[in-house]
Amino acid sequence: MESAVESPPAVELGRRWETGFAALGAAFYTELAPTPLAAPYPVSLNTPLVTALGLDAAQLAGDAGVQALAGSLPFAGSRPVATVYSGHQFGVWAGQLGDGRAILLGELETPLGPQELQLKGAGRTPYSRMGDGRAVLRSSIREYLGSEAMQGLGIPTTRALSVVGSPQPVRREEIETAAVVLRTAPSFIRFGHFEHFAAREQLGELRELADYVITRFYPECLATERLAGNRYAAFLEQVSERTAAMVAQWQAVGFCHGVMNTDNMSILGLTIDYGPFQFLDAFVPGHICNHSDESGRYAFNRQPNVAYWNLYCLGQALLPLIGDQELALAALESYKTVFPRELEGRMRDKLGVVGEREGDRELVEGILQQLAAGRVDYPIFWRRLSRFVAGASVEPVRDLFPDREGFDGWLRQYEERLPDDRPTAGRAMLRTNPKYVLRNHLCELAIRQAKLMDMSEVEALLRLVQSPFDEHPAHEDKAGFPPDWAAHIEISCSS
Ligand code: AMP
Ligand code: MG
């Protein structure tokens, strides 16, 4: 009797896969399957996102579901690919990079609109270079919680559906274990995808890629009257504006990305590639969260300039399509108006002041200088200030400042600027200034537990960061100051 070779069972998600990125030709990607991961076990499933995508949580939590989320079983109808891109890393042209450990499963039709599903850590690809194609549990949990924290704060970001772990060893500074995150986004296309084809002078592909992104995500550029009706310039302008708005939100909330290489910049203005990121504890403007960033290129207060530098690289890549350097520069100019406007608006919201008045900039600068001088805890300051405006005593705010007199001087100006209806302003501030922030040490504690196969802290943090403005009385401890050891956590590019 002939023995039938059984193909592995595929997990049917019950939703339609669209062609999506794969419609671009073979120059843009390599088709390949994820490499199965040994003995996958569930770490966390983001059920609110599962539900929002119209997927079945019970199915994904089951055996076959976990296998599929690990890349060990296929999803029926998915045509996995690894995409090619290049980029500037730490200010230097790095040539070809690409999805070295990410595998795009395809584009799924969902109630949130079309969403790409991508596995990170799913094995080697033709773009892995010296890498092993894997991600470790530690960094996978950080990406999962980090992206959901940004989503909870209302900041544009890729999202994460699940983390699956495995006992499979992975070598970093020490031996760790592997994990896979399933990420979602309307598109994972980066500035680096454009730089890739521009650098190789593959202008046909460059145009194809730009037309794809414009048609799908920036259709208003097709019939634009801005910038001499040049759709590619209008596209660059739109990307500049979205990036400006995103970075303004980073600065307002105290988010440090850590590796703003051009291959880590989303063409949709989403926060992408969570590595050594950090939400500030103390307000230290020059804070460097990436231990591998020796020159501080990606320090917190340099992020706005770096984003512009990255957009400039994108502009250079698009120049052959735009065809006019003046137009390209004019498109980039929008960053310089949108970024300050967005940041000032966000800071006024944090302060609970309404409308725009002369002196607002000084008010913001004044408090930031004092926060920096006193190395005051950034999230706690804003939350206490919100409570004060809502009706509580000012003492908990004043107590944060070593220079009380300096603070009192600022407070007098601030109180003059506050609206008469303080309770309403205070309530708005409590919806703007989060109580729960994914601080490094909270992540670290959840990771330690997860390594011991206790996922309860990951679960708890996921819920907290998904509703960071709400009170969670059982988790008051996670809204407090960081412990002393938090200052010594070292997060590097190694992940
Ligand atoms: P990153 O610094 O994480 O943005 O990664 C930069 C480049 O290195 C990208 O092309 C990644 O796909 C690739 N890369 C990072 N880590 C690995 C790994 N462990 N295996 C293969 N490629 C990797
Ligand atoms: Mg990256």
Side-chain angles (χ1 to χ4, degrees), residues 85 89 97-101 128-129 131-134 172 263-264 273:
Y85 54 79
Q89 297 184 313
L97 301 165
D99 291 330
R101 54 175 171 171
S128 300
R129 297 172 294 149
D132 56 11
R134 292 298 180 190
R172 293 293 179 262
D263 55 304
N264 290 339
D273 278 14

Side-chain angles (χ1 to χ4, degrees), residues 145 455-465 475 478:
L145 293 175
M455 311 306 167
S456 59
E457 284 294 298
V458 174
E459 276 323 297
L461 278 184
L462 180 65
R463 302 292 162 240
L464 290 180
V465 300
H475 294 288
K478 295 190 179 64

